[in-house]
Amino acid sequence: MSRSSIFGLGFLGLIIVSGLYIISAGNSLVTLDEAVTASWAQVENVYQRRADLIPNLVNTVKGYAKHEASVLTQVTQARASVGQIRVNDASSLKSFEQSQGQLTQALSKLMVITEKYPELKADANFRDLQSQLEGTENRIATERRRFNEVAQEFNTKIRQFPTSIIAGFKALKERAYFQAEQGAKTAPKVDFN
């Protein structure tokens, strides 16, 4: 066997190994991208669960707190605005987070109102709804954390060499993270005066 044929076989082997690596790296990027998309779908799922619970909670409170209409209106409006935002980049994620924050604030006001009505707090339907809402808030936090973890793994992979080259060919972009709301570091003050 001549040197040129050995060189040719070595070159062919290098091309095959490189091609297999490129295919493997491309497939792993697709897998991670789909994991981020699936994780985002789960985040939307738990937010939708919260949005679905709110009308029942509002209607239950309405029966007891008829004169608290402004807070009930805020909750209803905040819930409606949440469903209108579609997330496809970092700025729309920020808008989504802001509208969810407004909904959270409105719900907090609603919970403070319920403290004024002891018979409402004792109502089994209200307690069940409140418990479901609390569980949903925990699910939201869990799914946001999972989304950030999957997004971090994806973002890390597309920035690493040589997969960054493949990510560039596939036009894959970094995914935005959920971040704490402004003022989240300050504990809320509860005042029943």
Side-chain angles (χ1 to χ4, degrees), residues 2 4 9 15 18 39-40 54 62 67-68 78 87 91 113 119 126 131 133 135 142 188:
S2 70
S4 62
L9 285 175
I15 290 174
S18 296
S39 183
W40 175 250
I54 289 170
K62 268 185 189 177
H67 66 281
E68 305 287 358
V87 176
S91 66
I113 286 174
E119 65 277 3
F126 177 77
S131 176
L133 200 54
T142 298

Side-chain angles (χ1 to χ4, degrees), residues 16-146:
I16 290 171
V17 168
S18 296
L20 291 174
Y21 174 78
I22 290 170
I23 291 169
S24 174
N27 287 341
S28 72
L29 288 174
V30 169
T31 301
L32 289 173
D33 188 43
E34 287 300 315
V36 173
T37 301
S39 183
W40 175 250
Q42 188 57 26
V43 168
E44 288 183 321
N45 180 36
V46 292
Y47 275 124
Q48 183 62 50
R49 182 177 194 276
R50 176 170 76 169
D52 292 345
L53 287 172
I54 289 170
N56 296 326
L57 185 65
V58 167
N59 288 333
T60 302
V61 174
K62 268 185 189 177
Y64 286 92
K66 292 184 180 143
H67 66 281
E68 305 287 358
S70 66
V71 172
L72 298 173
T73 301
Q74 286 176 355
V75 171
T76 304
Q77 289 173 344
R79 179 189 176 270
S81 72
V82 163
Q84 297 172 356
I85 298 174
R86 293 289 158 242
V87 176
N88 50 17
D89 59 16
S91 66
S92 59
L93 178 62
K94 193 149 217 58
S95 295
F96 182 83
E97 285 182 283
Q98 287 173 343
S99 67
Q100 291 292 344
Q102 290 170 349
L103 180 57
T104 299
Q105 288 174 354
L107 285 172
S108 296
K109 289 178 187 175
L110 182 65
M111 291 303 155
V112 168
I113 286 174
T114 62
E115 294 296 323
K116 295 180 182 178
Y117 301 94
E119 65 277 3
L120 174 60
K121 291 191 309 187
D123 181 70
N125 289 334
F126 177 77
R127 283 195 324 260
D128 290 344
L129 286 168
Q130 189 176 22
S131 176
Q132 286 184 32
L133 200 54
E134 289 169 359
T136 299
E137 294 300 322
N138 289 335
R139 290 178 186 177
I140 287 170
T142 298
E143 295 305 332
R144 285 176 59 152
R145 179 186 52 77
R146 286 181 183 158

